[in-house]
Amino acid sequence: MHKSHFRFVENLYKYLIISGVVILIGIVVACIFGVKMDINFKGGTRFTYTYTGEINLDEVQTLAEDTLQAQATVTRSTGMTGDDARLVITLVGDQSVTTETQQALTDGLTEAYPDNNIALGDSNTVSPTIAGSFFAKSLFAVGLSALLVLIYVGFRFRKIGGISAACMALLALVHDCIIAFVACAIFRLEIDANFIAVIVTIFGYSLNNTIVIYDRVRENKRLHPGLQIAELVNNSINETMSRSLFTTITTFIAVATVAVVAEIFGLTTLRSFAIPMAVGLVAGCYSSVCLAGPLWVRWVWHKEKHPKQSKKAKKK
């Protein structure tokens, strides 16, 4: 039988420390700079203007806040050709904007930048109530996905642990979601519908890697029934690690390319999807290889230990 090169089970605590440090960094960044929420999740108003040439975003933000009498954020996006630039002014929260105020903002921008051909493209307002409902439904969708994962993995691998193996796979998925959130916090990305799409997609990729490992564990357990569980899992992870790495690297290159293109051309929508997706893919591979299996072994050891303690207590 193939011998282990890496002792994943024995090094579990090191992996947990690495994950803990990354998550801690994300929490610190989120506490210091805050977390941006899209208007679809928090409510607010968004104006999109088309323009040509160059515009100073800080000046636009000052003008918008003075006109609207509210705190605003201003971002810029550029198309692939570079000649269809868009100026996005966002007011988050319960900010009421009348038609007159909107027109005053448009007039102010036109007067301040007469040579930039500024024109209002569209405006969108979402009430906090509707935004809260949408956010709750998004969380429900993620929660339902997690429940289905628990049921599926628990049933499929009932011969090697069932629900306990499923719970460890689910913990690995939660880890990946948190790391994706950390990426949004560090890169100052909005939490929007793209983030929910990222979470669900990461579920698929990460779970696939974990299932490949569990499949090998089940096969090796059948072929080598006398093997210790730690050695069984270590060998299974080593035997499938190259497949997990190659699959992740291939997908990561494609997503990272999209992220680079989004950064170069200022494609905000693609940026908010590609960056957390790229980070989530790496986290998913890492959690499947380094966390899911070793955590399951620790749980099995825990279950084996407590029945013995119970028997000793009964004898006394």
Side-chain angles (χ1 to χ4, degrees):
M1 186 176 181
H2 176 78
K3 294 183 179 180
S4 298
H5 296 294
F6 299 100
R7 313 300 299 180
F8 292 100
V9 174
E10 290 79 359
N11 291 310
L12 174 61
Y13 292 118
K14 295 179 182 178
Y15 305 138
L16 292 176
I17 290 173
I18 293 173
S19 296
V21 170
V22 174
I23 293 171
L24 181 61
I25 292 173
I27 292 174
V28 171
V29 172
C31 291
I32 294 175
F33 299 102
V35 179
K36 295 183 178 180
M37 297 286 286
D38 185 67
I39 63 171
N40 289 319
F41 286 163
K42 197 172 182 180
T45 302
R46 174 176 292 138
F47 304 107
T48 303
Y49 291 90
T50 58
Y51 71 96
T52 58
E54 294 295 327
I55 288 181
N56 187 296
L57 297 187
D58 293 333
E59 293 178 357
V60 172
Q61 181 173 349
T62 301
L63 188 152
E65 291 180 344
D66 291 342
T67 304
L68 302 173
Q69 294 298 304
Q71 185 175 2
T73 58
V74 180
T75 57
R76 173 171 46 204
S77 64
T78 307
M80 298 293 289
T81 60
D83 57 358
D84 54 347
R86 290 178 174 82
L87 196 65
V88 181
I89 302 174
T90 305
L91 286 75
V92 179
D94 189 11
Q95 305 282 359
S96 58
V97 179
T98 63
T99 305
E100 292 77 12
T101 307
Q102 176 180 316
Q103 187 60 47
L105 176 61
T106 303
D107 294 341
L109 290 171
T110 304
E111 292 174 5
Y113 304 96
D115 300 326
N116 294 98
N117 300 317
I118 293 180
L120 179 64
D122 62 74
S123 61
N124 182 29
T125 300
V126 179
S127 72
T129 302
I130 295 175
S133 175
F134 180 70
F135 185 61
K137 290 177 181 178
S138 299
L139 291 181
F140 175 78
V142 173
L144 180 60
S145 300
L147 178 61
L148 293 176
V149 166
L150 195 66
I151 295 173
Y152 170 72
V153 177
F155 177 77
R156 178 169 177 176
F157 297 102
R158 57 193 181 279
K159 292 185 179 179
I160 65 166
I163 196 66
S164 62
C167 287
M168 298 307 111
L170 186 58
L171 280 178
L173 293 180
V174 171
H175 165 274
D176 303 336
C177 295
I178 295 174
I179 298 299
F181 173 81
V182 167
C184 290
I186 292 176
F187 289 96
R188 311 300 299 134
L189 302 175
E190 283 188 340
I191 303 297
D192 55 11
N194 279 342
F195 182 73
I196 302 300
V198 166
I199 293 303
V200 176
T201 307
I202 291 174
F203 268 28
Y205 277 98
S206 180
L207 182 63
N208 178 67
N209 288 332
T210 304
I211 285 177
V212 169
I213 294 171
Y214 282 175
D215 264 328
R216 186 57 59 90
V217 171
R218 182 172 57 184
E219 180 182 350
N220 286 337
K221 185 177 182 181
R222 178 178 57 83
L223 295 175
H224 308 276
L227 201 65
Q228 294 292 324
I229 187 170
E231 194 68 18
L232 178 68
V233 171
N234 279 333
N235 288 343
S236 299
I237 295 175
N238 277 283
E239 290 169 4
T240 58
M241 186 168 58
S242 60
R243 180 189 184 282
S244 299
L245 288 176
F246 290 146
T247 301
T248 301
I249 290 172
T250 303
T251 311
F252 175 81
I253 291 174
V255 177
T257 302
V258 174
V260 171
V261 171
E263 284 292 330
I264 293 174
F265 293 100
L267 304 175
T268 307
T269 303
L270 281 180
R271 185 174 184 267
S272 65
F273 175 82
I275 292 178
M277 184 66 199
V279 174
L281 285 172
V282 175
C285 181
Y286 171 80
S287 67
S288 296
V289 172
C290 300
L291 298 181
L295 281 172
W296 177 62
V297 173
R298 295 286 176 173
W299 174 253
V300 172
W301 285 348
H302 175 75
K303 288 198 301 182
E304 290 176 347
K305 181 180 179 181
H306 278 269
K308 294 179 181 179
Q309 292 177 346
S310 299
K311 289 179 180 179
K312 289 180 180 178
K314 287 181 180 179
K315 290 180 180 179
K316 292 180 180 179

